Structure formats: structure tokens, C-alpha cells
Amino acid sequence: MTIETKLQQFKEVSEKISAYSLALTTLNWDSSTIAPKKGAAYRNKMAALLAGELFSIENSPEFIALIDDLFTETLDDVTMREIRQIKRNLDKSRYIPKDVFVEYAQLTRDAENVWETARDNHDYEAFKPYLKKLIEMTKKVVSYRKDTRPVYHQLIDDFEIGITIEDYDVFFNKLKAEIVPFLHKIIDKKITEPAWLSRNVPIEQQREVVEILMDYLNYDKGSGYIGESAHPFSSHFSVHDNRVTVRYHEDMFTSSIFALIHEVGHATYNGQVDEAYQGRAIADSMTYGMHESQSRLYENMLGRSRSFWSGIYPKVQQTVDALHDVSLDDFIQGINHVACSLIRIEADELTYPLHIMVRYEIEQGLFNGTLDVEGLDQVWSDKYEEYLGIRPPHNGLGILQDIHWSGGAFGYFPTYALGSAYSAQWMNAMRKDLDVEKCLENNDFKSVNDWLKNHIHRHGGVYKPNELLLAVTGETFNPQYYVDYLKEKYSRLFDVSE
Amino acid sequence: MTIETKLQQFKEVSEKISAYSLALTTLNWDSSTIAPKKGAAYRNKMAALLAGELFSIENSPEFIALIDDLFTETLDDVTMREIRQIKRNLDKSRYIPKDVFVEYAQLTRDAENVWETARDNHDYEAFKPYLKKLIEMTKKVVSYRKDTRPVYHQLIDDFEIGITIEDYDVFFNKLKAEIVPFLHKIIDKKITEPAWLSRNVPIEQQREVVEILMDYLNYDKGSGYIGESAHPFSSHFSVHDNRVTVRYHEDMFTSSIFALIHEVGHATYNGQVDEAYQGRAIADSMTYGMHESQSRLYENMLGRSRSFWSGIYPKVQQTVDALHDVSLDDFIQGINHVACSLIRIEADELTYPLHIMVRYEIEQGLFNGTLDVEGLDQVWSDKYEEYLGIRPPHNGLGILQDIHWSGGAFGYFPTYALGSAYSAQWMNAMRKDLDVEKCLENNDFKSVNDWLKNHIHRHGGVYKPNELLLAVTGETFNPQYYVDYLKEKYSRLFDVSE
């Protein structure tokens, strides 16, 4: 077989994989937005069947042989990286015996069900044996890989290629040393949440704000759509079709707005990938941390800044009755209010990474043997008390709040904090080329999007995070930018020393 | 292989086919409702790829061998009928050489593009050579079947199994002999269209009418959804998920309403199929005529009757400002207004089948050699003048108005008229069991739906139309019910003799 024939075969299978992925994305979007409830059982069964078909294609002996073969060939840089990514994933799964894989899949399904009930009943003891089995089974599944690094190291690498336990240790130790005491200075000021944040805002008015934002953010409806769902998400169909959903809360309208800005950050990332990558794995193989860096950059670095709102706030104020007596300064102060809370997904920008730190430390302990599932709920609560100064009244608001572990996703959490940290590093680089504040104030969000496109977005998933960070910012991941950003911003907002 | 193993294999492939079909339905729904325009090219390419995957499964040598094998086995009645249906379809395609099939597929794609431009330019001459090729190619493709019946006879059978040219001849001759002169009596009265029909009705008010109708028709949103699209359609996802779309016209609000009732008729049919057929071909292999019989029954026999509206009209009148001075009697008269028009899809109940008759006579002539594409636009116009008393000013409003022929769909049109005729026969049978008027007046649409479910819907596509008609009404297709119904209803409405 000539190299051209092999590459042609590779292209054909890649497109086939993309077709199945698009179908599954569409089914999932449909299910999460408008699909009628009574059709769910059948629809889920059919979607699972289709996912099985995709799995068979991705793991067929012919495709594996083709990838192994192409791996040894001399190829253009992008294709070579793409082949390496696919091979890396195949190498993780190819040696797992089928019965072990099936057992693992069954365990995660069972554990998710048990977790849901346990959470509702605040009953950690019910979930505990499953958590134990999940950790054992994860170790077992990972043990089949021809990789001698510690299990948690490998898991971290699965979610964020190239980032190590040492990197995370440096990162979280810095947060612990600098942000925890800094946070407590703010908390000690006992600033209460502004009352207008929970004023009732009719959904119709919120929709109008969304229109203002879409326009401002250059989110083009010709290649996007705003749906509604129980939990906001973004959904990548193709380079020219990236949708978001919003959920309107009448009594927390800023929450709906920032969730939307966050999701548009994800959508813009996918929408600015080089069109030439369409239909290839490389088009959307960005890491979790990288993706989160773009959504957090939108939501926090830009979206909660004064310059972001200064131009559009008069229009927003005109639209939202509840803001009639809220000045721009009050608004900025309110959307950056800091409070120690128990629930990660409701946390503000400053406390958010500390929620992640708790989970990271626990995961690390579970996999290096310094922690055990026995009494882990108390460990959780102790850490919340230590870092955030509050203790969950029950495990439903504590260790049982997240779905991730029940699905076997260990090593995922830290990417959330990493994304925020990356975004500070990106901002620092962007500022060297662009007067970001001036762009925002001049209603010129396009220049921001263009910078992101040229430096980050267009590459899709071609480069590892540290490769791209190095190329764009001149250094690999450096958490100092993030710590500096947080301290500078919040010391200013709350008039405390850094 | 034991019979159990074979049936198990058959079940597995059937479910796989259902999974692909659901994915394609979902992609199509998405494209026709909310999907952003700029993603269309990629999405269509991926959908075509997936359709190709489905084709490969349905036409794999293993599946064909399995069907041939099961065809000779003794099976339960439903499975036997299902196997026969699948085999019948395979027998149509299995002997066609691949290059002929590819040529035919390419021709229809090209012809659809040419047709669209030709229609916009009113240019029959541009479409003519394609129409000629389409007929030749259709004859060629059909010639590979091991079936000696005339080509048009086979095409008719493809769209409506068991119905023959003789059946259609009897049907259309009856329409020509009885309905054409009857229609002219009404036209001669020169009754003008009531002005309120084109009054402006805001979309918000139309949406409220849709809610009233959904409630009245027992269309359950737990297993349905009302979307919006350029052309209304219904979409079958599964027994518990049948959606419809509506298009709101501010200046023709009754048109939006009756399109909706029509589509809910289709959706209700699919939604009342026996749940045990879920995931099998039999669940949705109803013929075109049968499906149209249910939508027309909803739209016309029930939806344009006085009893249908008598209970809900006060609410509708309260909702729609434009109806404030329109009495129930005026409303009924208006929604049954008769006018000879040029466009099939805008035709009223009485003239609609005559539009079909023109197409049927032309198709028949093209395939039996009594007509040729040369000068066919004049033949079309002559027939419109003869039956409907009007002549298209140009071919865009004449022979070029429909997409069907450009896609190679010959033999499809007559099923539209057949559906209406079936529905009169169903109504006649339903009336023997049920006081339909009383049910409607008492807001008891459920009894109507239950009757349809028990006698028609639950069977899905198990029986041929004539089998079901015979079982339920005591006779095979008899067009007299339809002719009687039309004459009785319209002589009453317009005070003319039958």
C-alpha cells in the first residue's frame, strides 16, 4: 500500500468517525433541549447502539493496524500529531481484556445510579463501597497500559496531556499559600451580598440581555443557536455550527448571564478552528483545561471586568427594570461578590479554585494510599472548614455533590482550576499585543476574538497545552499569572492588601 | 443455525437499522428547524455518509441471505409479513448493477438542481431533457426487477402496495364524471372568499390557538413537540416521540392552523402504533396513502366540520381579535371556501383531488407512451383548463410547481388523493361505532383517537391498505364514499344540487 492510499483510508475512516460523532452530538443536544420525555428510554437505547457502532469503528483491527502503520511513516506535522494522539488513546485501551472493560462500564453505570440516590439521601455510607470499587477498578484498568508512571499521574495526563502531579502540586500549593490567607482578609470584612442580585427579572428581559450580549460578543446566529436546557452547556457540531444553551433563573439573573458568556467562550473556541481540520480528530481534540481556559477567560477575565460592561451597561440597564437604581460601579462590585459557599458550581471566581483544591488533594490521597474511602466525608468537611471556613451540614452538600467520581472520572477536577490559571496567562500575553480594555470599551470584541483565533483557536487540538503556551506566551504553564491576577483584582475591589 | 438464532440476528440488525434511522430523523429535524445555515454543507455531507452506512447494513450480503432464509421459514404472522416487506424491497434493488444505481442517483441530484432553477425561471424547456432522462432511467432501473407488470403499475405499487392502475382509473374516472361537473355548479355561483380569511393575526395569537388545539386533539407534549419550519411537516422519532412543525402566516392564519391539524394527524398515527413494534420495520412501514388518510381525516373530515369547532370556537374567538365579528357559521363557511387555483398545495378540499388527477393522467401517459415530454407543459395547462377552468400564466405556476418528478418520484402523486378517499371510507366505518359529531361537540376527541388506534393505528405497517380496509370497513377500497362525502358536504354548504 502506498502512503497516499494509507492516508486516503485514514481520511475516510476519520470522516466516518466524524459523521457518527455529529449524529451523537445531535441526539444529545436534542435530548437535553426539546426532546419529549416519554421517548427517552428508546432514544437512549438507540443512541447507545450507535455509540457502540462508533466504538467498533474506532477500535477495529484494520483501523488500529492503519494507525500503527502510519505512526512509523514520515508525515506532515499536523497529521503526525493527529496520528500520535489517536495512537496514544488506542494504547490506553487496546490491552484491556474485554471482560474487564465490560465490568468497568457496568460499575460506572451502577455507581452513577447509587450516587444519585445517596446524594439525595445525604448518605455517604451507601456510596462508599462503590467509590472503593471505582478506585480499585480504575487502578486495574490502567494497569493494562504499557506505562509505568503512577496511576494518578496517568489519569491526570489523560485529561490534560503533558501536565504532571508536580505541576499541580506547585499550582495548588501556591493557591494554598497565597489565596487562602488573602481570601480570609476579604471574608473578615463581612461584606453582605447586594440585594439587587436576587431581584426578580422576568425571562423576557433576560432574553433581551442575551441578545445584547450575542451582538456584543460577535456570536453569529448563522453559525450558532441559543437553546434552553436544565443545565447550560455548549455543543460543538462543526466549525460552522456551535450552539449554547441557557437556563433562565428569575431570581438569579446574573447567574444565567454569566453561564451564557461562559458557554459562548467554549462555542467561540470551536467556531474559530481552522476550517481545514473539519472532519478530523484534530478539529476538536483540545484538552479540558484548554477549553476551560477559553470559557473562563470569557466569563471572568473579560465578562466580569468593568470595560466589558461600560459600553453596553446603559442598554442593559434600560432593559432590566431591576437594575434601574444600580450604577455601573455597583453592578461590577455585585457580579464580583465573594462568599465562601459549599457548592462548587455556584462558587465565585476567587473561591472556585479552592473547591477544586479540596478534590485534588483527596484524589491524590486516594491513589497514593494516604487516604481511604473510610471516613472520607469527614476529610472533605475538614478541608472545607480549613480552606473556606465553612463545614457542610450534610454530605449532600459535601462529598456527594459532584457526579464525576461515580462515572470513574478521577483526574478531571483539577483541569477546571487549571483552565482559569491558563486564562490569566493568555490574558497577560494578549495585553502585550492589544489594549484589551480599550477594545471592550469601544464595542470592539472582534479584535479580542481575532487575537484568540490567531494565537489559540485556529490550532484546534493540534498542540499540547504547554506547547501552545510556550509558543504564545514564551513560557510553559506558570500559575503565578493567575495568583497575581486574583490578588490584584480582588484587593482593588474589596480594598484589602495583596 | 436454529430458527431462534436467525430471529435473534434479525432482531439485532433491525434495531441497528432503527438506530441509524433515528439518527437520520434527528439530523433532518434539526436541519429543518433550528440548525444554523452556515453548518449546512458539512452537516449534509455527514448525514449522507451516515445514510450510506445505513444502506450498507440494509443491503449487506449477510442481511440479504438472512432475509431470504427467513422468507422460507414458518414464522408468526407479524414477523412473516415484516420479512415479506423487507424482501419485497430488496427484490426491487438487488439486481440493479451498481453503476446503474449510481447513475440514477446522480441524475436525480442533477435534475433537482435543474428543476429548481427552471421553476424560478418558468422555463420548462430547461427541465424537459431531464424529465425525459428521468423517465428513461426509471424504466431502466425497474427493468432489472424480476417483475413483468407494466412499469407504471410497479411504480404505483411501490408507493401503495396492492393498488393498481385499474383501481386508480376507476377512482379518477369517478372524480371526473361526478366531481368536475359538481365543482362547476359551485364555481358558477361566483362566491367570493370572505375577507376575514386574510386579516392579520399576530403570531402570538396563533400560538394560543395552537395550544387550544393541542389540548383538544389530545396531542401530548410528553411525547411530542411543536417546532417551526419553512414548510410544516411531522417527524416520527419513535412511538413515544412524534413531533410536528408549524409555519405561522400572519395574513393566512387558517392555513397555518389546518397545516398543523394535518401534521398532528400524521403524528397521532405514529404515536398510537403498538409499542411492541418499536425498533422494527413494521412500526412505521405504513403506505403513503394510509398515512395521508389519517392526516386528511384530521384536517378535513374532522377539522373542517362544524362539530369540531362548536365547542372550542368561543375560546378561539376570544383569542383571535380578527374573529371578533365572525360567527361560528361564517367561520365554517370560510374554512370550507372553494376556489379553483393553480397551486396544488394551496388547494381546498374539493378541488385538491383534481390537481392530483392531472398529474396521474400525465404520469400514466408518459409511461404507456401516449404522452411525451415534448409539449407536455401545454398538456398540463389544457388539463387545468378542462378540469379546473383556469390556465397557468406560466410554467412556474404549472408543470414546474412540484419537486416530485425531479427526484424520480413517479407514482407518488396519486397517493395524495387516495388518502383523502380512504379517509371517507374510514369515517363511514367509524360512524357505525361512534357518534362522531357528539364526541367532538363534547370535547371528547379521545374517543375518536381510541377508535383510530384500535382499528387502524395500532397495526403500524403490518397490513396492506386493502387488507385493513376489508377488515375494518367490510370492503376493499371503494371511492364512492369519498365522492358521496364531497357532494353531500359541499352541496349543503353552497346550496347546490348533488
Side-chain angles (χ1 to χ4, degrees), chain A residues 306-326:
Chain A
R306 201 179 191 285
S307 336
F308 184 95
W309 291 97
S310 63
I312 55 172
Y313 190 68
K315 246 193 287 185
V316 172
Q317 202 178 17
Q318 230 169 359
T319 307
V320 178
D321 294 335
L323 290 175
H324 73 279
D325 59 351
V326 180

PDB file of all heavy atoms in Angstrom, chain A residues 306-326:
ATOM      1  N   ARG A 306     -14.803  45.703  34.283  1.00  0.00           N
ATOM      2  CA  ARG A 306     -15.556  46.955  34.113  1.00  0.00           C
ATOM      3  C   ARG A 306     -15.648  47.344  32.631  1.00  0.00           C
ATOM      4  O   ARG A 306     -16.699  47.771  32.145  1.00  0.00           O
ATOM      5  CB  ARG A 306     -14.867  48.066  34.908  1.00  0.00           C
ATOM      6  CG  ARG A 306     -15.772  49.232  35.216  1.00  0.00           C
ATOM      7  CD  ARG A 306     -15.069  50.295  36.031  1.00  0.00           C
ATOM      8  NE  ARG A 306     -16.008  51.286  36.538  1.00  0.00           N
ATOM      9  CZ  ARG A 306     -16.564  52.233  35.804  1.00  0.00           C
ATOM     10  NH1 ARG A 306     -16.295  52.324  34.525  1.00  0.00           N
ATOM     11  NH2 ARG A 306     -17.424  53.097  36.344  1.00  0.00           N
ATOM     12  N   SER A 307     -14.539  47.167  31.908  1.00  0.00           N
ATOM     13  CA  SER A 307     -14.523  47.578  30.493  1.00  0.00           C
ATOM     14  C   SER A 307     -15.544  46.796  29.670  1.00  0.00           C
ATOM     15  O   SER A 307     -16.126  47.327  28.727  1.00  0.00           O
ATOM     16  CB  SER A 307     -13.144  47.337  29.870  1.00  0.00           C
ATOM     17  OG  SER A 307     -12.151  47.326  30.826  1.00  0.00           O
ATOM     18  N   PHE A 308     -15.720  45.533  30.033  1.00  0.00           N
ATOM     19  CA  PHE A 308     -16.683  44.698  29.305  1.00  0.00           C
ATOM     20  C   PHE A 308     -18.064  45.336  29.329  1.00  0.00           C
ATOM     21  O   PHE A 308     -18.769  45.367  28.329  1.00  0.00           O
ATOM     22  CB  PHE A 308     -16.730  43.312  29.951  1.00  0.00           C
ATOM     23  CG  PHE A 308     -17.612  42.295  29.257  1.00  0.00           C
ATOM     24  CD1 PHE A 308     -17.071  41.407  28.337  1.00  0.00           C
ATOM     25  CD2 PHE A 308     -18.976  42.206  29.535  1.00  0.00           C
ATOM     26  CE1 PHE A 308     -17.874  40.448  27.714  1.00  0.00           C
ATOM     27  CE2 PHE A 308     -19.787  41.271  28.913  1.00  0.00           C
ATOM     28  CZ  PHE A 308     -19.233  40.383  28.006  1.00  0.00           C
ATOM     29  N   TRP A 309     -18.446  45.846  30.497  1.00  0.00           N
ATOM     30  CA  TRP A 309     -19.813  46.339  30.677  1.00  0.00           C
ATOM     31  C   TRP A 309     -19.976  47.826  30.390  1.00  0.00           C
ATOM     32  O   TRP A 309     -21.099  48.288  30.139  1.00  0.00           O
ATOM     33  CB  TRP A 309     -20.296  46.028  32.098  1.00  0.00           C
ATOM     34  CG  TRP A 309     -20.485  44.555  32.300  1.00  0.00           C
ATOM     35  CD1 TRP A 309     -19.590  43.690  32.864  1.00  0.00           C
ATOM     36  CD2 TRP A 309     -21.609  43.766  31.884  1.00  0.00           C
ATOM     37  NE1 TRP A 309     -20.077  42.401  32.842  1.00  0.00           N
ATOM     38  CE2 TRP A 309     -21.324  42.423  32.240  1.00  0.00           C
ATOM     39  CE3 TRP A 309     -22.813  44.062  31.241  1.00  0.00           C
ATOM     40  CZ2 TRP A 309     -22.210  41.382  31.980  1.00  0.00           C
ATOM     41  CZ3 TRP A 309     -23.696  43.008  30.990  1.00  0.00           C
ATOM     42  CH2 TRP A 309     -23.395  41.694  31.352  1.00  0.00           C
ATOM     43  N   SER A 310     -18.872  48.567  30.439  1.00  0.00           N
ATOM     44  CA  SER A 310     -19.031  50.027  30.396  1.00  0.00           C
ATOM     45  C   SER A 310     -19.803  50.485  29.151  1.00  0.00           C
ATOM     46  O   SER A 310     -20.657  51.367  29.236  1.00  0.00           O
ATOM     47  CB  SER A 310     -17.669  50.717  30.484  1.00  0.00           C
ATOM     48  OG  SER A 310     -16.893  50.371  29.363  1.00  0.00           O
ATOM     49  N   GLY A 311     -19.541  49.856  28.006  1.00  0.00           N
ATOM     50  CA  GLY A 311     -20.227  50.261  26.780  1.00  0.00           C
ATOM     51  C   GLY A 311     -21.673  49.804  26.717  1.00  0.00           C
ATOM     52  O   GLY A 311     -22.553  50.549  26.271  1.00  0.00           O
ATOM     53  N   ILE A 312     -21.929  48.595  27.159  1.00  0.00           N
ATOM     54  CA  ILE A 312     -23.283  48.040  26.974  1.00  0.00           C
ATOM     55  C   ILE A 312     -24.186  48.205  28.191  1.00  0.00           C
ATOM     56  O   ILE A 312     -25.394  47.983  28.106  1.00  0.00           O
ATOM     57  CB  ILE A 312     -23.233  46.537  26.567  1.00  0.00           C
ATOM     58  CG1 ILE A 312     -22.414  45.712  27.577  1.00  0.00           C
ATOM     59  CG2 ILE A 312     -22.694  46.365  25.165  1.00  0.00           C
ATOM     60  CD1 ILE A 312     -22.496  44.197  27.339  1.00  0.00           C
ATOM     61  N   TYR A 313     -23.609  48.635  29.325  1.00  0.00           N
ATOM     62  CA  TYR A 313     -24.434  48.681  30.539  1.00  0.00           C
ATOM     63  C   TYR A 313     -25.654  49.601  30.429  1.00  0.00           C
ATOM     64  O   TYR A 313     -26.745  49.235  30.886  1.00  0.00           O
ATOM     65  CB  TYR A 313     -23.601  49.038  31.776  1.00  0.00           C
ATOM     66  CG  TYR A 313     -24.386  48.858  33.048  1.00  0.00           C
ATOM     67  CD1 TYR A 313     -24.760  47.581  33.475  1.00  0.00           C
ATOM     68  CD2 TYR A 313     -24.806  49.950  33.805  1.00  0.00           C
ATOM     69  CE1 TYR A 313     -25.509  47.397  34.614  1.00  0.00           C
ATOM     70  CE2 TYR A 313     -25.565  49.778  34.958  1.00  0.00           C
ATOM     71  CZ  TYR A 313     -25.915  48.497  35.357  1.00  0.00           C
ATOM     72  OH  TYR A 313     -26.667  48.321  36.480  1.00  0.00           O
ATOM     73  N   PRO A 314     -25.534  50.777  29.790  1.00  0.00           N
ATOM     74  CA  PRO A 314     -26.726  51.622  29.656  1.00  0.00           C
ATOM     75  C   PRO A 314     -27.875  50.889  28.971  1.00  0.00           C
ATOM     76  O   PRO A 314     -29.020  50.959  29.407  1.00  0.00           O
ATOM     77  CB  PRO A 314     -26.229  52.795  28.797  1.00  0.00           C
ATOM     78  CG  PRO A 314     -24.759  52.854  29.051  1.00  0.00           C
ATOM     79  CD  PRO A 314     -24.318  51.440  29.254  1.00  0.00           C
ATOM     80  N   LYS A 315     -27.560  50.112  27.928  1.00  0.00           N
ATOM     81  CA  LYS A 315     -28.592  49.356  27.222  1.00  0.00           C
ATOM     82  C   LYS A 315     -29.181  48.266  28.133  1.00  0.00           C
ATOM     83  O   LYS A 315     -30.385  48.032  28.153  1.00  0.00           O
ATOM     84  CB  LYS A 315     -27.985  48.702  25.969  1.00  0.00           C
ATOM     85  CG  LYS A 315     -28.548  49.250  24.659  1.00  0.00           C
ATOM     86  CD  LYS A 315     -28.187  48.382  23.465  1.00  0.00           C
ATOM     87  CE  LYS A 315     -26.716  48.528  23.072  1.00  0.00           C
ATOM     88  NZ  LYS A 315     -26.374  47.786  21.832  1.00  0.00           N
ATOM     89  N   VAL A 316     -28.291  47.595  28.852  1.00  0.00           N
ATOM     90  CA  VAL A 316     -28.737  46.528  29.754  1.00  0.00           C
ATOM     91  C   VAL A 316     -29.622  47.106  30.855  1.00  0.00           C
ATOM     92  O   VAL A 316     -30.674  46.552  31.188  1.00  0.00           O
ATOM     93  CB  VAL A 316     -27.512  45.792  30.365  1.00  0.00           C
ATOM     94  CG1 VAL A 316     -27.942  44.815  31.460  1.00  0.00           C
ATOM     95  CG2 VAL A 316     -26.733  45.064  29.271  1.00  0.00           C
ATOM     96  N   GLN A 317     -29.202  48.251  31.381  1.00  0.00           N
ATOM     97  CA  GLN A 317     -29.962  48.881  32.463  1.00  0.00           C
ATOM     98  C   GLN A 317     -31.349  49.303  31.987  1.00  0.00           C
ATOM     99  O   GLN A 317     -32.331  49.201  32.716  1.00  0.00           O
ATOM    100  CB  GLN A 317     -29.183  50.100  32.966  1.00  0.00           C
ATOM    101  CG  GLN A 317     -29.575  50.510  34.377  1.00  0.00           C
ATOM    102  CD  GLN A 317     -28.764  51.700  34.878  1.00  0.00           C
ATOM    103  OE1 GLN A 317     -28.148  52.409  34.082  1.00  0.00           O
ATOM    104  NE2 GLN A 317     -28.758  51.894  36.184  1.00  0.00           N
ATOM    105  N   GLN A 318     -31.391  49.733  30.727  1.00  0.00           N
ATOM    106  CA  GLN A 318     -32.668  50.129  30.129  1.00  0.00           C
ATOM    107  C   GLN A 318     -33.605  48.926  29.978  1.00  0.00           C
ATOM    108  O   GLN A 318     -34.822  49.055  30.041  1.00  0.00           O
ATOM    109  CB  GLN A 318     -32.397  50.714  28.741  1.00  0.00           C
ATOM    110  CG  GLN A 318     -33.068  52.039  28.507  1.00  0.00           C
ATOM    111  CD  GLN A 318     -32.550  52.674  27.229  1.00  0.00           C
ATOM    112  OE1 GLN A 318     -31.680  52.120  26.543  1.00  0.00           O
ATOM    113  NE2 GLN A 318     -33.083  53.829  26.896  1.00  0.00           N
ATOM    114  N   THR A 319     -32.995  47.767  29.761  1.00  0.00           N
ATOM    115  CA  THR A 319     -33.761  46.547  29.510  1.00  0.00           C
ATOM    116  C   THR A 319     -34.251  45.902  30.809  1.00  0.00           C
ATOM    117  O   THR A 319     -35.367  45.390  30.871  1.00  0.00           O
ATOM    118  CB  THR A 319     -32.872  45.532  28.747  1.00  0.00           C
ATOM    119  OG1 THR A 319     -32.350  46.182  27.595  1.00  0.00           O
ATOM    120  CG2 THR A 319     -33.645  44.298  28.350  1.00  0.00           C
ATOM    121  N   VAL A 320     -33.387  45.903  31.825  1.00  0.00           N
ATOM    122  CA  VAL A 320     -33.695  45.197  33.065  1.00  0.00           C
ATOM    123  C   VAL A 320     -34.204  46.190  34.121  1.00  0.00           C
ATOM    124  O   VAL A 320     -33.435  46.986  34.668  1.00  0.00           O
ATOM    125  CB  VAL A 320     -32.435  44.460  33.583  1.00  0.00           C
ATOM    126  CG1 VAL A 320     -32.721  43.754  34.908  1.00  0.00           C
ATOM    127  CG2 VAL A 320     -31.936  43.473  32.540  1.00  0.00           C
ATOM    128  N   ASP A 321     -35.491  46.099  34.413  1.00  0.00           N
ATOM    129  CA  ASP A 321     -36.090  47.022  35.397  1.00  0.00           C
ATOM    130  C   ASP A 321     -35.358  46.959  36.734  1.00  0.00           C
ATOM    131  O   ASP A 321     -35.155  47.991  37.385  1.00  0.00           O
ATOM    132  CB  ASP A 321     -37.567  46.667  35.615  1.00  0.00           C
ATOM    133  CG  ASP A 321     -38.383  46.900  34.353  1.00  0.00           C
ATOM    134  OD1 ASP A 321     -37.955  47.740  33.521  1.00  0.00           O
ATOM    135  OD2 ASP A 321     -39.425  46.249  34.183  1.00  0.00           O
ATOM    136  N   ALA A 322     -34.966  45.751  37.132  1.00  0.00           N
ATOM    137  CA  ALA A 322     -34.356  45.557  38.454  1.00  0.00           C
ATOM    138  C   ALA A 322     -33.025  46.291  38.601  1.00  0.00           C
ATOM    139  O   ALA A 322     -32.494  46.402  39.704  1.00  0.00           O
ATOM    140  CB  ALA A 322     -34.163  44.072  38.720  1.00  0.00           C
ATOM    141  N   LEU A 323     -32.466  46.781  37.506  1.00  0.00           N
ATOM    142  CA  LEU A 323     -31.180  47.480  37.579  1.00  0.00           C
ATOM    143  C   LEU A 323     -31.338  49.004  37.568  1.00  0.00           C
ATOM    144  O   LEU A 323     -30.343  49.731  37.501  1.00  0.00           O
ATOM    145  CB  LEU A 323     -30.281  47.050  36.397  1.00  0.00           C
ATOM    146  CG  LEU A 323     -29.738  45.618  36.426  1.00  0.00           C
ATOM    147  CD1 LEU A 323     -28.972  45.307  35.144  1.00  0.00           C
ATOM    148  CD2 LEU A 323     -28.836  45.415  37.643  1.00  0.00           C
ATOM    149  N   HIS A 324     -32.577  49.477  37.656  1.00  0.00           N
ATOM    150  CA  HIS A 324     -32.823  50.917  37.463  1.00  0.00           C
ATOM    151  C   HIS A 324     -32.024  51.788  38.444  1.00  0.00           C
ATOM    152  O   HIS A 324     -31.601  52.878  38.103  1.00  0.00           O
ATOM    153  CB  HIS A 324     -34.317  51.229  37.564  1.00  0.00           C
ATOM    154  CG  HIS A 324     -34.840  51.159  38.964  1.00  0.00           C
ATOM    155  ND1 HIS A 324     -35.171  49.969  39.567  1.00  0.00           N
ATOM    156  CD2 HIS A 324     -35.065  52.126  39.882  1.00  0.00           C
ATOM    157  CE1 HIS A 324     -35.589  50.215  40.802  1.00  0.00           C
ATOM    158  NE2 HIS A 324     -35.529  51.508  41.030  1.00  0.00           N
ATOM    159  N   ASP A 325     -31.780  51.259  39.657  1.00  0.00           N
ATOM    160  CA  ASP A 325     -31.060  52.069  40.655  1.00  0.00           C
ATOM    161  C   ASP A 325     -29.665  51.506  40.943  1.00  0.00           C
ATOM    162  O   ASP A 325     -29.066  51.806  41.974  1.00  0.00           O
ATOM    163  CB  ASP A 325     -31.868  52.153  41.952  1.00  0.00           C
ATOM    164  CG  ASP A 325     -32.132  50.757  42.533  1.00  0.00           C
ATOM    165  OD1 ASP A 325     -31.830  49.748  41.839  1.00  0.00           O
ATOM    166  OD2 ASP A 325     -32.632  50.673  43.665  1.00  0.00           O
ATOM    167  N   VAL A 326     -29.173  50.660  40.031  1.00  0.00           N
ATOM    168  CA  VAL A 326     -27.852  50.050  40.233  1.00  0.00           C
ATOM    169  C   VAL A 326     -26.854  50.714  39.282  1.00  0.00           C
ATOM    170  O   VAL A 326     -26.983  50.594  38.059  1.00  0.00           O
ATOM    171  CB  VAL A 326     -27.905  48.523  39.975  1.00  0.00           C
ATOM    172  CG1 VAL A 326     -26.534  47.900  40.177  1.00  0.00           C
ATOM    173  CG2 VAL A 326     -28.953  47.860  40.864  1.00  0.00           C
TER     174      VAL A 326
END
